[in-house]
Amino acid sequence: LNVFGEFPTPADATTAAASSSSPSSSSSSAATQPPMLVARSSFRKHLRKVASGIDSRRTLPIAISMLLVGSSVGIVTPVMPFVVENIGLSPGQYGGVVSAFALA
């Protein structure tokens, strides 16, 4: 965790590496600091704090869309053999229909 209580990003590591490679900082060993490490206990504590709540404002639309997709698959899959038989599609054409549905 950084001083703001956030996990460092790859951009932070790049910025830190660029600033430590400057000529003025390479002369002193105090200027080159090891990467900030996080204790396992503080990591677990922060993770439990963040993961304990559910943001329903963001989760609800995803859950509803997954419910609709699952329902459409559950409805279309059992009906497709009857539709294929009535339309007279070949097995290759039926495979194309299934693939198109999967890609959609």
Side-chain angles (χ1 to χ4, degrees):
L1 296 174
N2 60 16
V3 294
F4 301 108
E6 302 168 336
F7 292 102
T9 62
D12 295 337
T14 305
T15 305
S19 65
S20 68
S21 65
S22 65
S24 63
S25 64
S26 63
S27 62
S28 68
S29 62
T32 57
Q33 298 174 355
M36 182 183 281
L37 300 177
V38 179
R40 183 180 295 253
S41 60
S42 65
F43 173 75
R44 286 185 177 183
K45 181 180 177 184
H46 181 73
L47 186 63
R48 284 191 180 114
K49 176 184 166 189
V50 172
S52 63
I54 295 175
D55 187 4
S56 61
R57 185 175 59 100
R58 293 180 180 171
T59 308
L60 191 60
I62 295 170
I64 290 172
S65 69
M66 292 306 295
L67 176 70
L68 293 174
V69 168
S71 299
S72 68
V73 169
I75 292 170
V76 170
T77 303
V79 174
M80 278 306 289
F82 299 111
V83 172
V84 168
E85 185 178 317
N86 287 335
I87 295 176
L89 294 177
S90 69
Q93 291 171 328
Y94 175 67
V97 171
V98 171
S99 298
F101 182 71
L103 293 174

